[in-house]
Amino acid sequence: MLLDLGSKPQQGRAFVQAARAAAPDMPMVILSESEDESLAVEALRQGVQDCLAKEGLDRVTLARSLRYSIERHRLQKALQNLSLTDDLTGLHNRRGFMILAEQHLRIIRRKGAAMLVFVDLDDLKVINDTYGHLEGNRALIVTANVLLACFRQSDIIARVGGDEFCVLMTDAVQDSAQQVRKRLQQRVDFVDTPSSSRFQLSLSVGIAEVSAVHQPPLEELLRIADTRMYEEKRNKELRSSAPPALKQPAPV
């Protein structure tokens, strides 16, 4: 966006604010009648890429400024996405999850119930030690795909640690914890065919229900769901002494 501010700086400032509000994701270059350092600094703070004085401005300088502004904007967006996204799975990372979940919890306070689902990929270390980190990475990607298949596009899905995933179900009025667990297990069973991989996918799940009336802070919800997930993991370990991640070799 190329925005000509005209000859009135105060009116120009209002134009910049209105344009940024209308198109926050568009790179912007502004033109002013003359050099105005305070206006330029204020505009840059608002996310404008460049501020040019029309005095002595030629087509080459303007074209170069536009090209550079578009490229800087592209790089800024790429860096922003990297800071909120897990490179391996393409899900949100912990930072992205915390930012988005906090925003959505404020909305949930006004519209209804939600659930926070904490998921741990069982025996990732066993998979890594036995088959190598490439197969461990594959297990993480498969887990991410299971979550993407089980939850809505509006839900916030993230990898928050090495083998830990989290989902904030933003509208869980029609869901129960039991239904969520059943849906997850059905998807795990679907991807766990004998010939699909060298490991047995197993997930431990903890769920904290989020009431619209009495809503704990996000960190407290994470602690509750994490504790319930570890309870399920311990129960699994008590039921089976053999690591569930390794598939038994087929009989010769």
Side-chain angles (χ1 to χ4, degrees):
M1 181 185 294
L2 182 61
L3 185 64
D4 189 341
L5 300 184
S7 58
K8 298 180 179 179
Q10 292 303 321
Q11 189 179 39
R13 288 180 172 86
F15 284 159
V16 172
Q17 292 174 355
R20 293 299 299 160
D25 294 325
M26 184 178 295
M28 184 186 302
V29 173
I30 60 175
L31 300 177
S32 60
E33 291 295 328
S34 58
E35 294 282 353
D36 186 333
E37 187 67 21
S38 64
L39 174 62
V41 170
E42 185 177 332
L44 292 172
R45 285 174 177 168
Q46 292 181 26
V48 172
Q49 291 292 336
D50 204 354
C51 184
L52 302 173
K54 288 191 284 187
E55 293 177 346
L57 181 64
D58 56 39
R59 297 173 69 178
V60 173
T61 303
L62 177 59
R64 183 171 61 246
S65 175
L66 292 173
R67 286 197 306 271
Y68 289 0
S69 296
I70 291 170
E71 182 62 17
R72 277 198 303 272
H73 182 79
R74 186 189 67 78
L75 290 172
Q76 286 170 354
K77 295 297 290 184
L79 288 172
Q80 183 182 26
N81 289 336
L82 283 174
S83 69
L84 301 178
T85 304
D86 176 54
D87 289 340
L88 179 65
T89 63
L91 303 178
H92 297 298
N93 59 19
R94 185 178 183 87
R95 180 170 180 266
F97 178 81
M98 298 299 287
I99 292 171
L100 293 171
E102 287 282 11
Q103 293 172 352
H104 279 75
L105 282 173
R106 286 194 288 270
I107 298 171
I108 290 164
R109 288 189 183 102
R110 300 194 299 269
K111 85 171 193 178
M115 284 187 192
L116 193 145
V117 184
F118 205 100
V119 178
D120 185 86
L121 169 58
D122 295 329
D123 298 296
L124 178 60
K125 185 177 186 304
V126 176
I127 298 172
N128 283 331
D129 292 346
T130 306
Y131 300 120
H133 286 274
L134 287 178
E135 197 71 2
N137 287 346
R138 185 174 180 277
L140 291 166
I141 293 169
V142 171
T143 302
N145 290 337
V146 165
L147 299 180
L148 289 169
C150 285
F151 294 99
R152 303 178 185 92
Q153 195 171 15
S154 58
D155 296 331
I156 303 169
I157 308 173
R159 180 186 174 204
V160 295
D163 54 2
E164 296 175 335
F165 297 79
C166 211
V167 182
L168 178 64
M169 299 178 64
T170 57
D171 184 4
V173 175
Q174 303 300 322
D175 293 290
S176 67
Q178 185 178 0
Q179 289 171 328
V180 172
R181 289 178 181 278
K182 182 178 178 181
R183 196 160 65 234
L184 277 166
Q185 189 57 53
Q186 286 174 338
R187 192 66 192 179
V188 168
D189 293 341
F190 176 77
V191 301
D192 247 347
T193 57
S195 59
S196 62
S197 63
R198 301 163 72 184
F199 58 84
Q200 182 81 27
L201 185 68
S202 175
L203 304 179
S204 294
V205 180
I207 299 177
E209 297 185 9
V210 186
S211 168
V213 180
H214 303 291
Q215 188 184 107
L218 178 57
E219 288 288 355
E220 177 65 11
L221 290 169
L222 285 168
R223 187 194 65 77
I224 293 170
D226 184 42
T227 299
R228 291 174 180 172
M229 180 274 294
Y230 272 106
E231 288 175 358
E232 179 173 304
K233 187 180 286 288
R234 283 195 297 269
N235 289 334
K236 283 183 181 179
E237 291 171 352
L238 290 173
R239 289 194 299 267
S240 174
S241 58
L246 304 184
K247 289 187 174 179
Q248 298 299 321
V252 179

